[in-house]
Amino acid sequence: MYLQKFCLPPPSSDFLADIIGLQKKQIIGDLPKEMEGSLPSSSSKVSINLQNDPIVQKYGSKKVSLTRCLLTKEEMKTYHFPLQGFPDCENFVPTKCCGSITDNSPLFGLDCEMCLTSKGRELTRISLVAEGGCCVMDELVKPDNKIVDYLTSFSGITKKILNPVTTTLKDVQRQLKALLPPNAVLVGHSLDLDLRALKMIHPYVIDTSLLYVREQGRRFKLKFLAKVILGKDIQCPDRFGHDATEDARTALELARYFLKYGPKKIAELNLEALASHQELEAARLEPKNTAEVVQQLNTSVLECLDSMGQKLLFLTREADATELSSSKNCQTIKCLSNKEVLEQARVEIPRFTFSIVQFSFEPFPPNLTEEMSKRMRIKWMEMSTVYAGPFSKTCNLRALKRLFKSFGPVRSVTLILETHQPHLCIQYEILEGAQLAIESLDGILVEGTCIKVQRPVTELTLDCDILVNELEQDSENQGTIYLSGVSETFKEHLLQQSSLFLGLEAVILPKDLKNGKQKKYCFLRFKTFGSAQRALGILTGENWKLKGRHALTPRHLHSWLRGLPSESRPPGLHVIPPPSEQETLQVVKVDHPKIAAWRWGRKIGELYHSLCPGTLCLILLPGTESTHGSLSGLGLMGIKDEEESNSPNECL
């Protein structure tokens, strides 16, 4: 029904206003006049939670040392920095910098400009700046191969400029090796590209595009950071290309600022909000056709509807009316109860292009919320646990452990001796490992004995088979496969034979949080189910000999489970004592929160089914903030049915 699912952060003070765009409009209105049209000032009053800032989450709020800012070898691998011993770096030259790095090690800003040749991107200019801002190296470089595009708008390099140049890449490599002391730290913005252009390997780097961490793996541009952090304009449009020396010096200053003021001060600037505002401004100023201008100029849903002469329908309880109710192009219907909201929704939604239906429920008591979170974690743990046996009393336990570990990462293996013959209880870290073990081993002969492999049967796993089937059919899992038994070189081998795996979009290689090592399983995401199915056949075949199946755990579920309170429950079956008479009466009471939530879930489902075919529907379940901690919410999005409709609506 809902093809898209996504996590929602814990709610702000006005969840609806945030979604519709009223908050954003207010923030932009608060900008100092001298900054309007460019970037909002860091003094703009925007309420932010510093603990949610990605920079604070990575580095903490206290000032950090220089060595803490260096990329680790694992990070350099992840971000494709050239490293010794890697197949694509065989002809790269090491800088020979192998001294001991301390917080007093010298920093050097580095920036390179490239052109496009018949062999790909090649170096045309290098600038190296020392800590005082002095440029110690600024060289134009003649590429080895024929130039097909000078990339002048970025590099500032033209044919006329490069014609008399005789300096080669090898000359530059020799100079750089001579200039850099043994304990030099190179600083740059997207430094991996510069080092690859130089065809050099350097172990100590600070990359400002990664130092100033951004959400969802995105990166801030150097020009943006220069303006917001340092208050200076670089890469101006009236200039002829980028100035490599200026960019190198800027990266160096950004690193120095980070070390001087620390993550907390930077988080207080709310870089994400400033970047979003800048992107909106850029879109507003960029000339486009009429339809695109309408789409980009309006920063809120209300303004978009107003530009098309449409009104928004807002259905809510009278007690829950917000500032949205007073908007001029919002038709608000206030009801006395959730039941009346539901009845009005069935009648009014077909009359509007865009509707918001707000149901309000009393929050679960903290003790019930905590109990439900615990039960959810226990349910997931029991679904990821298998019991196997019987085995002979002389069975090879080491071989059996090795066998079960081949299907996925194992938390614990427990020998059960209370039965007539020994059994094993295996608790897997992930659901896919447990499911793969059941599918592969149930009913096979082990040391002459036919074994049964199954999950524990408890009240939480009674519908397990149905749930596993639904997870497998989930739209987010359709093109994703799970593989166990992968080695550290798996990704390299996979990319070397990429022609076999058409449609591959992502390789997800989880790491151990304690030691940072790559785990022996992975997920591969493909564009289509067919591509995933073909890849699974190849990777579990004779040549690769991996174990695998289609994925079961959507990304939003991973995030949500990580947010639940930790539960340390030992593996095995647990007897749940019968409830007392008072507890039993409470459970069957009509207004019990769990029963009420279940019933309203059904009613909202009925409302969805009554919508016109073709209606885009979003269901937003806000997260919670309590003394027990924050829990992420969940968003569901889908288009009602597959049928064509002449009058599609939108419902939120």
Side-chain angles (χ1 to χ4, degrees):
M1 182 158 60
Y2 300 106
L3 293 179
Q4 304 296 330
K5 302 176 181 69
F6 48 92
C7 281
L8 292 172
S12 61
S13 56
D14 198 333
F15 182 66
L16 264 183
D18 238 353
I19 295 167
I20 299 304
L22 295 178
Q23 297 273 14
K24 187 179 290 185
K25 190 174 176 184
Q26 182 183 355
I27 288 168
I28 293 172
D30 286 344
L31 297 180
K33 287 185 179 179
E34 68 271 13
M35 296 298 288
E36 283 179 6
S38 56
L39 285 172
S41 159
S42 60
S43 62
S44 299
K45 301 298 181 185
V46 182
S47 176
I48 51 172
N49 183 350
L50 295 185
Q51 295 309 311
N52 291 337
D53 189 279
I55 294 177
V56 172
Q57 287 181 345
K58 180 173 180 179
Y59 296 103
S61 57
K62 295 181 180 178
K63 291 183 183 181
V64 294
S65 63
L66 184 153
T67 51
R68 176 71 178 87
C69 296
L70 295 175
L71 289 183
T72 64
K73 189 172 181 180
E74 285 301 317
E75 286 175 322
M76 292 178 79
K77 270 188 197 177
T78 301
Y79 296 111
H80 310 295
F81 276 76
L83 291 168
Q84 258 180 318
F86 275 56
D88 60 341
C89 304
E90 287 175 358
N91 299 318
F92 281 43
V93 176
T95 57
K96 301 296 183 187
C97 291
C98 52
S100 177
I101 297 297
T102 68
D103 292 338
N104 296 317
S105 292
L107 303 181
F108 290 85
L110 175 71
D111 188 67
C112 296
E113 301 297 344
M114 282 78 87
C115 69
L116 196 61
T117 72
S118 55
K119 296 290 185 180
R121 288 181 180 264
E122 290 191 49
L123 185 71
T124 53
R125 183 182 174 187
I126 173 177
S127 287
L128 187 71
V129 176
E131 279 197 75
C134 174
C135 182
V136 293
M137 182 179 180
D138 188 15
E139 292 282 351
L140 291 170
V141 185
K142 178 81 83 176
D144 294 333
N145 298 289
K146 183 182 177 183
I147 297 173
V148 295
D149 189 343
Y150 284 86
L151 304 176
T152 307
S153 59
F154 299 104
S155 67
I157 305 294
T158 62
K159 183 177 181 180
K160 185 179 178 181
I161 291 172
L162 218 52
N163 262 344
V165 175
T166 57
T167 305
T168 65
L169 177 64
K170 287 186 177 178
D171 295 330
V172 165
Q173 289 171 340
R174 278 194 293 269
Q175 284 185 58
L176 200 58
K177 284 175 69 174
L179 276 170
L180 293 175
N183 61 341
V185 175
L186 289 180
V187 180
H189 199 80
S190 297
L191 198 53
D192 55 308
L193 302 177
D194 298 318
L195 288 171
R196 286 192 175 277
L198 284 164
K199 293 191 175 178
M200 296 189 78
I201 294 169
H202 187 79
Y204 313 123
V205 297
I206 295 174
D207 191 324
T208 50
S209 73
L210 299 169
L211 184 68
Y212 288 83
V213 192
R214 193 174 183 184
E215 292 174 353
Q216 298 171 349
R218 295 178 297 165
R219 302 193 193 188
F220 294 114
K221 292 180 179 178
L222 182 66
K223 180 177 180 177
F224 167 78
L225 291 174
K227 179 68 175 175
V228 175
I229 304 293
L230 306 174
K232 64 190 238 181
D233 293 305
I234 64 168
Q235 302 173 0
C236 298
D238 55 339
R239 291 185 194 168
F240 197 50
H242 295 182
D243 182 337
T245 303
E246 181 182 58
D247 289 357
R249 188 176 287 120
T250 300
L252 192 58
E253 288 173 13
L254 285 168
R256 275 288 166 211
Y257 186 98
F258 195 97
L259 290 166
K260 182 177 180 180
Y261 293 105
K264 184 181 177 184
K265 185 172 179 63
I266 294 161
E268 287 170 351
L269 297 173
N270 200 358
L271 295 179
E272 193 64 47
L274 298 178
S276 298
H277 173 68
Q278 188 194 50
E279 286 159 9
L280 283 169
E281 278 295 310
R284 184 178 69 81
L285 296 170
E286 189 178 331
K288 290 184 172 71
N289 64 45
T290 308
E292 288 174 324
V293 168
V294 169
Q295 183 182 8
Q296 294 289 349
L297 281 178
N298 294 287
T299 58
S300 77
V301 172
L302 285 171
E303 289 170 333
C304 287
L305 289 170
D306 191 40
S307 69
M308 296 184 290
Q310 302 281 350
K311 276 196 169 187
L312 177 145
L313 170 65
F314 180 39
L315 283 162
T316 183
R317 292 196 320 182
E318 193 163 354
D320 301 315
T322 66
E323 60 177 306
L324 183 61
S325 313
S326 57
S327 299
K328 63 177 181 178
N329 56 330
C330 176
Q331 177 70 49
T332 302
I333 299 177
K334 298 176 183 178
C335 305
L336 294 174
S337 64
N338 284 327
K339 184 178 180 182
E340 190 182 341
V341 170
L342 185 66
E343 290 168 353
Q344 288 286 342
R346 287 176 174 155
V347 175
E348 298 291 341
I349 283 176
R351 298 176 48 235
F352 289 81
T353 302
F354 195 100
S355 308
I356 295 177
V357 183
Q358 182 181 28
F359 296 98
S360 298
F361 304 100
E362 290 299 318
F364 284 180
N367 60 334
L368 182 57
T369 303
E370 192 177 5
E371 179 60 27
M372 288 176 69
S373 297
K374 281 183 181 178
R375 287 174 74 81
M376 181 62 193
R377 184 172 284 282
I378 292 168
K379 178 167 185 164
W380 202 253
M381 184 185 73
E382 290 184 348
M383 284 179 65
S384 302
T385 299
V386 299
Y387 282 79
F391 299 104
S392 69
K393 292 180 180 178
T394 58
C395 63
N396 186 335
L397 278 178
R398 184 173 292 180
L400 287 175
K401 285 182 181 179
R402 195 161 50 243
L403 172 65
F404 282 96
K405 283 182 179 179
S406 69
F407 297 102
V410 169
R411 288 188 193 278
S412 64
V413 179
T414 307
L415 183 62
I416 309 295
L417 297 174
E418 283 78 4
T419 48
H420 178 64
Q421 286 181 275
H423 285 67
L424 287 178
C425 171
I426 305 98
Q427 188 185 109
Y428 286 91
E429 286 183 24
I430 52 173
L431 180 60
E432 285 84 355
Q435 187 64 22
L436 191 55
I438 292 169
E439 292 166 349
S440 305
L441 298 179
D442 187 34
I444 71 163
L445 284 173
V446 175
E447 297 181 353
T449 305
C450 181
I451 66 166
K452 187 167 184 61
V453 182
Q454 61 186 342
R455 289 188 174 87
V457 180
T458 72
E459 64 175 89
L460 299 177
T461 60
L462 287 174
D463 62 348
C464 199
D465 291 342
I466 296 169
L467 183 54
V468 166
N469 185 56
E470 286 184 355
L471 287 170
E472 195 164 37
Q473 299 303 316
D474 189 287
S475 57
E476 279 199 33
N477 289 329
Q478 286 292 292
T480 305
I481 61 174
Y482 161 79
L483 296 169
S484 179
V486 301
S487 64
E488 289 186 2
T489 57
F490 169 75
K491 185 177 178 181
E492 293 168 41
H493 294 155
L494 187 76
L495 296 177
Q496 285 168 4
Q497 300 187 44
S498 56
S499 58
L500 294 175
F501 306 105
L502 300 177
L504 178 62
E505 287 187 323
V507 181
I508 302 157
L509 294 160
K511 291 182 180 177
D512 190 302
L513 295 176
K514 291 181 180 177
N515 56 31
K517 289 184 179 178
Q518 180 185 311
K519 294 195 173 185
K520 294 182 180 179
Y521 71 94
C522 75
F523 293 92
L524 304 183
R525 190 167 69 241
F526 292 83
K527 286 183 180 177
T528 64
F529 176 79
S531 299
Q533 184 74 17
R534 283 191 295 274
L536 186 60
I538 294 168
L539 292 164
T540 55
E542 281 298 314
N543 292 332
W544 293 76
K545 295 181 179 177
L546 299 174
K547 292 182 170 68
R549 71 173 325 279
H550 288 281
L552 294 172
T553 319
R555 282 170 294 171
H556 70 272
L557 192 53
H558 273 300
S559 304
W560 194 74
L561 284 166
R562 279 199 301 270
L564 290 177
S566 59
E567 173 68 27
S568 56
R569 177 176 176 175
L573 289 173
H574 294 261
V575 179
I576 299 173
S580 66
E581 184 179 350
Q582 185 180 357
E583 288 173 328
T584 305
L585 287 172
Q586 185 189 23
V587 168
V588 297
K589 277 175 67 177
V590 174
D591 60 348
H592 187 267
K594 283 201 287 187
I595 297 206
W598 176 74
R599 285 184 174 169
W600 273 102
R602 289 185 61 183
K603 288 176 182 178
I604 293 170
E606 289 167 7
L607 174 61
Y608 172 85
H609 289 296
S610 72
L611 299 173
C612 300
T615 299
L616 172 65
C617 185
L618 278 82
I619 293 182
L620 304 177
L621 307 168
T624 58
E625 293 272 18
S626 74
T627 53
H628 299 280
S630 300
L631 279 179
S632 299
L634 179 65
L636 308 171
M637 183 168 68
I639 297 176
K640 171 69 164 56
D641 300 333
E642 297 295 329
E643 308 164 35
E644 292 296 320
S645 171
N646 294 324
S647 57
N649 297 331
E650 294 182 41
C651 180
L652 187 66

